[in-house]
Amino acid sequence: PRVGEIIGGRHSSFAAGSSSSTTALPCQLLGMNAAHPTSFSFSFRGFARRGGITDVHSDGWGLAFYEGRGLRTFHDSASASESVVARMVEEYPVKTVNMLAHIRYATAGEVCLENVHPFQREMWGIIWCFAHNGDVPLFKSKLKTAHAWIGDVPGERIYSPVGDTDSEAIFCALLNALKAKFETLPSLPVLHDYINKLCKEIVSEYPDETILNFLLGCGRYIQFAYSWPGARPGSTVWNGLYYIVREPPFTEAHLSDMDYAVDFSEMNTDEDRVAIIATKPLTLNEEWVEIEKGELILFDQGIPHKVPEECFKIEFLGHGLDSDVMLAPKLEEDMRRYQFERSYYEGIGI
């Protein structure tokens, strides 16, 4: 068994009444990235209870995880705490190294299936997946063709929202900007650098009013997490993004939304490692790290990479963008651009 599997756990459920006055989190996010195929059922079990039992995020939920180049998705406009599909996912005997999930509290857009995250699109022969929470005034226009263009290269609006959320509009804007920018597949350091610039552009228009937290899956191995946190008007509830890396020595973890615990030391090896990303910490007895304001992190094998230069190591492992329809990135040119020291990649065989 790998990190995250529910074996020998204990559970007694409870209901904590909640109302819209007790939360100011538009939605909540959950991500998992692991070194080996891993079950996400422990984290999802607690996360789903926030969809109507321990919190009010009951306007739909979704989950997506990668299987090879494919993406398996589950979406429901019903609350996660009541959804039959969510109960099935909790017990679903599946493992993956890359997963994103979302529970929705509708502040923009109708309560309907097309507005349920995570959203997905194909670009460069890769399935991209996106989940977001926050408020982004730059993308609040009800006219889909009027959404802002971002990036330093003009291009065609190939990707358009299906629903009416600012979240899907942001996702489409990011993909359109990347599509316009790159004629060949970017290396992960270059991709990290440019996505970070796009995020800065989005928040710079309304820095005090904008709350932008998202997870972006880029294929079977990797996902980005970005946070521009804040509190909504009239609220003191902080809307940010946190993560924890579970690795040896493993310990017991207790969910914060229900009486349920798992001792990970009983089911893992020294080779296991998993990162969990969430809007609010999911456990009571672990130290979660808050992603800093304006910070973009690329997760691979459960390891957070915070600057472009660190992402070369992911390329050396063969975990870069995987496409059969785009020319591969020129790593040596990019290493010279970032003045990456040769000692880091001697013997790698590139």
Side-chain angles (χ1 to χ4, degrees):
R2 295 293 183 184
V3 177
E5 289 191 285
I6 300 177
I7 299 178
R10 58 181 184 273
H11 167 224
S12 64
S13 63
F14 68 94
S18 185
S19 68
S20 60
S21 63
T22 63
T23 186
L25 301 174
C27 303
Q28 291 200 38
L29 306 175
L30 171 66
M32 186 197 77
N33 183 266
H36 300 284
T38 300
S39 169
F40 48 76
S41 57
F42 174 72
S43 294
F44 183 73
R45 185 180 294 264
F47 182 69
R49 292 182 66 82
R50 297 178 179 180
I53 296 180
T54 61
D55 216 325
V56 300
H57 302 79
S58 57
D59 296 326
W61 69 276
L63 182 145
F65 61 89
Y66 287 89
E67 293 183 0
R69 290 186 175 181
L71 185 71
R72 189 180 295 271
T73 62
F74 300 87
H75 293 83
D76 197 343
S77 56
S79 67
S81 63
E82 298 179 351
S83 170
V84 176
V85 181
R87 298 292 75 72
M88 183 270 290
V89 171
E90 284 185 13
E91 305 298 332
Y92 198 64
V94 68
K95 298 177 183 179
T96 183
V97 298
N98 209 17
M99 181 276 290
L100 292 76
H102 181 276
I103 52 175
R104 185 169 184 242
Y105 180 59
T107 59
E110 298 295 325
V111 178
C112 53
L113 194 62
E114 60 264 34
N115 286 333
V116 176
H117 311 214
F119 305 106
Q120 63 172 303
R121 297 288 192 279
E122 178 277 330
M123 183 175 71
W124 303 332
I126 301 166
I127 301 177
W128 299 68
C129 183
F130 181 85
H132 159 259
N133 77 343
D135 287 300
V136 183
L138 186 62
F139 288 92
K140 287 294 187 181
S141 173
K142 292 184 179 181
L143 183 62
K144 297 178 182 180
T145 57
H147 289 305
W149 180 272
I150 56 175
D152 55 12
V153 178
E156 183 181 354
R157 295 180 186 270
I158 297 173
Y159 302 97
S160 299
V162 175
D164 53 2
T165 66
D166 59 341
S167 303
E168 190 181 12
I170 295 165
F171 181 37
C172 292
L174 288 170
L175 293 185
N176 283 328
L178 293 172
K179 185 84 170 179
K181 178 71 172 180
F182 299 108
E183 295 182 356
T184 60
L185 208 62
S187 67
L188 293 182
V190 172
L191 183 64
H192 187 293
D193 204 358
Y194 196 61
I195 291 178
N196 196 33
K197 290 178 180 177
L198 295 174
C199 292
K200 289 180 179 179
E201 182 178 346
I202 292 172
V203 301
S204 67
E205 293 292 327
Y206 304 93
D208 296 331
E209 295 85 0
T210 295
I211 301 173
L212 176 64
N213 302 294
F214 69 73
L215 302 175
L216 175 65
C218 311
R220 70 181 80 182
Y221 297 117
I222 57 174
Q223 72 172 277
F224 284 97
Y226 177 82
S227 182
W228 186 269
R232 299 179 70 197
S235 172
T236 59
V237 177
W238 191 248
N239 187 3
L241 208 53
Y242 298 78
Y243 72 92
I244 186 171
V245 177
R246 295 192 184 115
E247 57 189 345
F250 294 101
T251 59
E252 187 175 77
H254 301 256
L255 289 174
S256 59
D257 291 85
M258 62 194 303
D259 184 12
Y260 196 93
V262 166
D263 187 350
F264 292 114
S265 67
E266 297 179 354
M267 60 185 70
N268 296 286
T269 71
D270 289 343
E271 297 179 354
D272 290 307
R273 181 177 53 252
V274 59
I276 303 294
I277 310 109
T279 299
K280 295 192 298 185
L282 288 165
T283 55
L284 295 170
N285 63 321
E286 297 178 296
E287 293 185 10
W288 291 69
V289 178
E290 183 174 10
I291 297 179
E292 296 182 5
K293 188 170 188 175
E295 186 172 43
L296 178 69
I297 300 177
L298 178 57
F299 287 90
D300 174 66
Q301 294 194 316
I303 300 174
H305 301 272
K306 299 184 178 183
V307 296
E309 291 81 358
E310 293 179 1
C311 300
F312 282 113
K313 300 174 185 178
I314 306 175
E315 291 280 0
F316 300 154
L317 292 171
H319 289 185
L321 297 179
D322 183 15
S323 172
D324 288 338
V325 300
M326 291 279 285
L327 294 176
K330 299 177 180 179
L331 285 182
E332 292 190 6
E333 290 184 8
D334 291 340
M335 284 187 279
R336 286 193 291 270
R337 171 184 170 187
Y338 286 94
Q339 299 182 333
F340 195 73
E341 294 295 331
R342 180 169 293 276
S343 59
Y344 282 91
Y345 58 86
E346 285 178 348
I348 297 295
I350 61 171

